[in-house]
Amino acid sequence: SSRVQLVSNSDVNMALELPAKDIVGLEGRDDIVVDSRASNKILFFAMNNSVAPFDNPLVRQAIVHAIPYDKLINDVMLGQASPMTSAIPSSMPGFDDSSYDVSYDLEKAQALLDEAGMGDGFEFNFVLGSGFNDWNDDAVLIQAELAKIGVTMNIENMARPQFLEAIATGEVQSYISRWTSFTNDPQYHFGLLFTEEGTSNYMNFRDAEFNELWQEAATEPDQSVRNVAYSRMQEIVNEAAPWGYLYEYNIVVVHSSGIEGYTSYPDGIIRYAQMSVVGE
């Protein structure tokens, strides 16, 4: 709210990380530019693959079909995000969502729970880190949809420093988190998030074929051959469903109309040296 007020009153030239609901009120002003662009920043609903009941892929698949994706993008992000249809963002080389087949479908979610022997539902814990308004709204919407198939999602709010420490233990049952791959490449992205030794693989995803393909791609000089491997890796993740793909964020920067030279980069970091204030 302080950032919104400062940029709205021209007390600062630029503001970042403004909530989508506040951006709406700033659009259309002559003295303010709302620069909204697609990015490789993603948000996902992670389920711990080594903790029951999420050690059962059928249960994870049921959860991903119970997430109201359109509501998250339209009602929470107010259009400042786009659908996420792969484990890697759509702007990343090697992206392939041909094996993605997930939609909001409570009947299918219930059928998968029945197949998993959990048709009467279950209860699980979800850790919600502070700091991002959309996370809170997303969690409440997902919680409400899961209740319709008898699944109780207990939300535990946690300050961001404690949240980061908690998920790093690899013991949190479920959580929402966002990710930006500073190097816009599947090798970097997959290596950190999905390989067995990945330092950010907090949901304990394990797949021998995936690890083997990642190792092969690391030394393969032919991009087309690597892309074949990456396509198969995306297919493996889609089948295993360690995540619910929530959305891809737009990078939104709000600045005064007197700012020139701003552009966005895949890492989301602003190059201030390229920018100037008109008349200065």
Side-chain angles (χ1 to χ4, degrees), residues 121-173:
F122 60 92
E123 187 173 339
F124 72 97
N125 297 321
F126 172 87
V127 173
L128 177 62
S130 66
F132 306 104
N133 290 352
D134 61 307
W135 293 20
N136 182 74
D137 295 340
D138 292 338
V140 171
L141 284 173
I142 293 170
Q143 181 187 51
E145 295 303 318
L146 291 176
K148 296 176 183 178
I149 55 172
V151 175
T152 300
M153 173 174 152
N154 299 315
I155 299 176
E156 178 186 356
N157 291 282
M158 191 174 288
R160 184 156 180 80
Q162 286 71 45
F163 167 77
L164 294 174
E165 290 177 2
I167 64 172
T169 66
E171 298 175 0
V172 171
Q173 195 171 13

Side-chain angles (χ1 to χ4, degrees), residues 90-112:
S90 58
S91 61
M92 186 171 285
F95 168 80
D96 180 1
D97 64 353
S98 61
S99 63
Y100 179 77
D101 185 24
V102 172
S103 60
Y104 169 68
D105 187 338
L106 289 183
E107 289 186 5
K108 187 166 186 178
Q110 184 64 62
L112 286 162

Side-chain angles (χ1 to χ4, degrees), residues 23-82:
I23 292 168
V24 173
L26 296 172
E27 292 176 325
R29 286 179 46 169
D30 293 337
D31 60 333
I32 288 177
V33 175
V34 177
D35 191 300
S36 179
R37 312 186 190 195
S39 77
N40 69 356
K41 181 185 294 184
I42 59 175
L43 186 73
F44 54 88
F45 184 103
M47 294 165 279
N48 197 324
N49 292 201
S50 65
V51 176
F54 298 133
D55 54 350
N56 185 334
L58 292 173
V59 174
R60 299 195 300 268
Q61 291 165 15
I63 297 298
V64 302
H65 281 288
I67 295 174
Y69 301 100
D70 289 345
K71 284 186 178 180
L72 303 187
I73 292 174
N74 297 325
D75 298 348
V76 176
M77 292 303 295
L78 302 176
Q80 297 294 341
S82 57

Side-chain angles (χ1 to χ4, degrees), residues 8-280:
S8 181
N9 294 339
S10 300
D11 294 323
V12 298
N13 293 114
M14 177 174 284
L16 316 178
E17 296 284 0
L18 299 185
K21 61 181 177 62
D22 292 316
I23 292 168
V24 173
L26 296 172
E27 292 176 325
R29 286 179 46 169
D30 293 337
D31 60 333
I32 288 177
V33 175
V34 177
D35 191 300
S36 179
R37 312 186 190 195
S39 77
N40 69 356
K41 181 185 294 184
I42 59 175
L43 186 73
F44 54 88
F45 184 103
M47 294 165 279
N48 197 324
N49 292 201
S50 65
V51 176
F54 298 133
D55 54 350
N56 185 334
L58 292 173
V59 174
R60 299 195 300 268
Q61 291 165 15
I63 297 298
V64 302
H65 281 288
I67 295 174
Y69 301 100
D70 289 345
K71 284 186 178 180
L72 303 187
I73 292 174
N74 297 325
D75 298 348
V76 176
M77 292 303 295
L78 302 176
Q80 297 294 341
S82 57
M84 180 181 173
T85 56
S86 175
I88 65 176
S90 58
S91 61
M92 186 171 285
F95 168 80
D96 180 1
D97 64 353
S98 61
S99 63
Y100 179 77
D101 185 24
V102 172
S103 60
Y104 169 68
D105 187 338
L106 289 183
E107 289 186 5
K108 187 166 186 178
Q110 184 64 62
L112 286 162
L113 287 182
D114 291 342
E115 186 179 352
M118 304 194 71
D120 293 333
F122 60 92
E123 187 173 339
F124 72 97
N125 297 321
F126 172 87
V127 173
L128 177 62
S130 66
F132 306 104
N133 290 352
D134 61 307
W135 293 20
N136 182 74
D137 295 340
D138 292 338
V140 171
L141 284 173
I142 293 170
Q143 181 187 51
E145 295 303 318
L146 291 176
K148 296 176 183 178
I149 55 172
V151 175
T152 300
M153 173 174 152
N154 299 315
I155 299 176
E156 178 186 356
N157 291 282
M158 191 174 288
R160 184 156 180 80
Q162 286 71 45
F163 167 77
L164 294 174
E165 290 177 2
I167 64 172
T169 66
E171 298 175 0
V172 171
Q173 195 171 13
S174 67
Y175 60 92
I176 281 176
S177 188
R178 69 181 190 176
W179 179 269
T180 302
S181 279
F182 294 155
T183 301
N184 196 38
D185 184 83
Q187 197 69 20
Y188 174 91
H189 184 88
F190 278 143
L192 290 171
L193 291 168
F194 288 96
T195 61
E196 190 162 342
E197 302 302 323
T199 54
S200 296
N201 183 1
Y202 303 140
M203 73 288 189
N204 297 308
F205 174 74
R206 302 285 186 269
D207 187 277
E209 182 186 359
F210 183 97
N211 288 331
E212 183 178 345
L213 287 167
W214 183 81
Q215 293 286 355
E216 292 174 357
T219 56
E220 172 55 58
D222 188 326
Q223 180 66 53
S224 62
V225 176
R226 288 201 303 276
N227 285 345
V228 171
Y230 295 144
S231 292
R232 174 56 187 154
M233 291 160 75
Q234 289 167 82
E235 182 179 14
I236 290 170
V237 176
N238 288 341
E239 292 170 353
W243 287 356
Y245 305 151
L246 301 188
Y247 42 79
E248 299 180 1
Y249 285 95
N250 283 11
I251 290 181
V252 183
V253 171
V254 178
H255 63 80
S256 62
S257 57
I259 291 287
E260 292 183 345
Y262 167 72
T263 190
S264 65
Y265 290 83
D267 58 16
I269 297 173
I270 294 175
R271 275 60 166 176
Y272 292 100
Q274 299 176 356
M275 296 164 55
S276 60
V277 180
V278 175
E280 295 185 8

